[in-house]
Amino acid sequence: MYSYEVTLEEMLQARENRADRQRQLISRYAVPLISMTINIPGPQKSSPTSRYVFHEGYRILMSQLAVNQMTPLHSETYDLLTGPEAYVAVQADARILKKLVIAIEDGHPLGRLLDLDVIGPHGRAISRDELGLGKRKCLMCEQAAHGCGRSRAHALPELLEAIKALVDSYTRKQQVVKRA
C-alpha cells in the first residue's frame, strides 16, 4: 500500500491553514476552541494507525466533554494528508477546558499521541505553564518532549516502534473489554 510522505512545506502550510481555521471559528462562536491533531513523528502523517489514534482520541474528547456537561456549539473533523484535525467550539471556561484536555493527554493510554490545544475566546492558546503544570514528557524517556524532538534524541524507527507498541497494547486491551 502506498503511503504519502508529507513535505516540510506542506506541514507549514497545514499549520497556517489550521491557525486560519482557528481564527475563523473563534470569531464565529466567541468561545474557547479545542484544536486537536496527532503527535506522530516522521513524514507519514495519514496512516491507518494515525487515523485510529485520532478517532479514538476524538471519541474520548467528546465523551469527556459530555461527562463534564460541556456541550460543543460546533465540531468538525478533517482527514488530511498532513494528518487528521478536529476543531470543537465549547461554551466553557478556557482554563477548565485546558485542564480537561491535559487530563486526556496525560491520563489516557493514547493521550501522549494526541495534541489537544485550547485557544481562548480572545485567540490566545492556554499553556500548561499558565496552569502551573509541567511540560509533556517524551514518549521514550522522562525528558521534556519538545527538547527531545528538537534535538532528535531518539531515532525515528525507535519512536515509530514505541508508538506501534503503545497502540497495539491499547487495541488488545480494548478487544478484551469488548469481549467481557
Side-chain angles (χ1 to χ4, degrees):
M1 182 177 158
Y2 175 74
S3 59
Y4 184 78
E5 293 198 358
V6 178
T7 65
L8 175 61
E9 292 77 21
E10 288 169 319
M11 286 306 293
L12 293 173
Q13 184 62 53
R15 184 178 297 167
E16 201 172 300
N17 294 346
R18 199 164 37 254
D20 287 345
R21 188 66 185 140
Q22 290 166 353
R23 282 189 292 274
Q24 291 168 2
L25 291 169
I26 287 169
S27 173
R28 181 181 305 157
Y29 293 99
V31 299
L33 180 74
I34 300 169
S35 177
M36 179 179 153
T37 56
I38 53 161
N39 228 343
I40 296 180
Q44 294 174 4
K45 299 298 184 187
S46 183
S47 67
T49 298
S50 67
R51 286 189 293 277
Y52 173 78
V53 167
F54 177 82
H55 290 293
E56 192 63 9
Y58 184 76
R59 184 186 67 75
I60 298 300
L61 171 63
M62 298 309 270
S63 166
Q64 285 303 302
L65 289 172
V67 164
N68 287 279
Q69 300 175 337
M70 297 177 179
T71 306
L73 301 179
H74 174 84
S75 65
E76 59 192 43
T77 62
Y78 298 95
D79 186 12
L80 307 172
L81 288 174
T82 49
E85 300 178 2
Y87 304 93
V88 184
V90 184
Q91 178 72 55
D93 178 272
R95 292 168 65 89
I96 291 171
L97 210 48
K98 182 65 178 181
K99 287 178 185 171
L100 182 137
V101 302
I102 288 171
I104 295 169
E105 288 177 339
D106 291 351
H108 190 274
L110 297 178
R112 184 60 200 87
L113 304 178
L114 303 172
D115 191 8
L116 293 155
D117 294 328
V118 174
I119 299 105
H122 301 295
R124 192 178 58 75
I126 309 299
S127 72
R128 286 172 170 251
D129 281 351
E130 277 178 64
L131 301 177
L133 299 169
K135 301 195 181 313
R136 294 184 83 176
K137 300 275 189 242
C138 172
L139 188 63
M140 304 290 293
C141 68
E142 287 300 305
Q143 299 301 311
H146 188 76
C148 280
R150 285 265 182 246
S151 69
R152 298 189 192 280
H154 310 288
L156 182 60
E158 252 187 305
L159 287 165
L160 295 176
E161 191 54 42
I163 289 167
K164 182 183 182 323
L166 181 72
V167 173
D168 287 350
S169 170
Y170 178 77
T171 54
R172 276 193 307 275
K173 286 178 185 161
Q174 290 304 104
Q175 289 166 348
V176 168
V177 168
K178 285 180 183 168
R179 278 190 226 123

